[in-house]
Amino acid sequence: MGVANRWSLAWSIAQSFVREGARVILTYQGDRQKETVEELGAELGAALVAPCDVTQDEELQALARAISARFGELDALVHSIAFANREDLSRPFLETSRSGYLIAQEVSAYSLVAAARAFAPLMKNGGSVITLSYLGAVRVVPNYNVMGVAKAALEACVRYLAAELGAAKIRVNAISAGPVKTASARGIQGFSSMLDHVASRAPFQRNAEPGEIADAAVFLASDLGRGVTGNILFVDAGYQLMGM
Ligand code: NAD
């Protein structure tokens, strides 16, 4: 969930999944994305391309029914979705509006709970739920603001879901990805300077690459990750460990 275009992290993840032999389903948000994502799905040989706006419970339910009817079960879910109003990613955090706060939480954090509820019943032999987070959940990153608070909630959702779904052999983890130039990232004021900052200080002396994030998702989805749940896995060129 979360392929909008070729720059989307979900697109890199889908490519890595296919490379390793997975059959993938792509979902898109609304008619505006339909054509692009259908084209990308065709290029990838996706088994299904379907609409799913995560703020609409009916769309989540309809997708779960479609997957159940066509495939019977699901092994992994990649939730690569976030949204905040652009003005909330540039003005002071103190100025965050009630509605801006709520929309960021709904789309970026609650949607993981809603999606897990819809799709966990399809993970009949256990499964893996993976979401995408960012360092701004646990540290203050200039202009990340309301999205940092939403990512903090998202990471807490990962832990609560992991605790509850463990009995069904469903693992729930997040990848905390380093900054990558995508459509969403461009909405954060000063994003280019974030990339420069990370490249100048990270142990790898560069930024994380989309393929590295995607391959970590394959690990978490596959049996190689069978012992891992409730974790936040940093794939960020090592930036998060630096104190100074
Ligand atoms: P992106 O813009 O390509 O992907 C965001 C996706 O969220 C889009 O496909 C969009 O359609 C989808 N979306 C938004 N609202 C939705 C809704 N109501 N229903 C369904 N889908 C909806 O950008 P991206 O950078 O690939 O973001 C993917 C995830 O990775 C996000 O959770 C983002 O916070 C996270 N992340 C990104 C970076 C980065 O630097 N790019 C770093 C760490 C984490």
Side-chain angles (χ1 to χ4, degrees):
M1 310 185 85
V3 175
N5 51 52
R6 287 179 194 280
W7 293 273
S8 297
L9 292 178
W11 173 242
S12 296
I13 293 169
Q15 288 178 307
S16 283
F17 271 56
V18 168
R19 185 195 69 215
E20 299 300 327
R23 273 203 302 173
V24 302
I25 297 163
L26 302 184
T27 67
Y28 58 87
Q29 175 202 7
D31 285 342
R32 213 162 41 87
Q33 289 181 356
K34 185 174 194 283
E35 202 179 317
T36 307
V37 181
E38 280 181 348
E39 277 171 22
L40 291 171
E43 189 177 312
L44 203 61
L48 177 68
V49 178
C52 189
D53 182 326
V54 291
T55 64
Q56 307 297 319
D57 284 326
E58 321 79 75
E59 292 198 18
L60 285 160
Q61 288 306 330
L63 178 61
R65 282 194 302 274
I67 294 171
S68 178
R70 294 234 344 224
F71 309 105
E73 59 186 310
L74 187 70
D75 297 313
L77 168 68
V78 177
H79 170 280
S80 187
I81 287 173
F83 178 79
N85 290 328
R86 195 172 262 264
E87 61 266 26
D88 287 327
L89 301 173
S90 54
R91 64 184 174 192
F93 177 65
L94 192 61
E95 304 301 326
T96 307
S97 67
R98 192 179 298 273
S99 62
Y101 186 95
L102 292 175
I103 186 102
Q105 286 284 337
E106 178 177 23
V107 177
S108 316
Y110 179 73
S111 65
L112 180 71
V113 182
R117 189 167 60 244
F119 301 121
L122 296 171
M123 296 181 172
K124 293 172 185 163
N125 298 307
S128 177
V129 176
I130 299 152
T131 188
L132 275 295
S133 191
Y134 175 59
L135 185 64
V138 289
R139 304 240 217 294
V140 172
V141 173
N143 296 320
Y144 202 62
N145 298 1
V146 73
M147 188 54 81
V149 178
K151 291 299 190 192
L154 178 72
E155 293 186 4
C157 291
V158 164
R159 290 185 283 273
Y160 278 89
L161 290 170
E164 283 189 10
L165 294 172
K169 294 195 284 183
I170 298 172
R171 299 179 291 104
V172 186
N173 294 285
I175 293 172
S176 186
V180 174
K181 209 178 264 182
T182 63
S184 292
R186 278 194 286 267
I188 303 163
Q189 198 178 60
F191 182 77
S192 297
S193 65
M194 282 167 69
L195 290 174
D196 295 341
H197 178 84
V198 170
S200 70
R201 285 166 175 79
F204 289 176
Q205 302 190 332
R206 60 167 175 79
N207 280 277
E209 290 167 5
E212 295 170 341
I213 296 157
D215 285 357
V218 171
F219 156 69
L220 287 171
S222 77
D223 285 346
L224 296 177
R226 65 191 177 280
V228 184
T229 196
N231 264 251
I232 314 299
L233 176 63
F234 283 95
V235 183
D236 68 342
Y239 176 78
Q240 49 80 30
L241 62 82
M242 301 306 290
M244 213 179 269

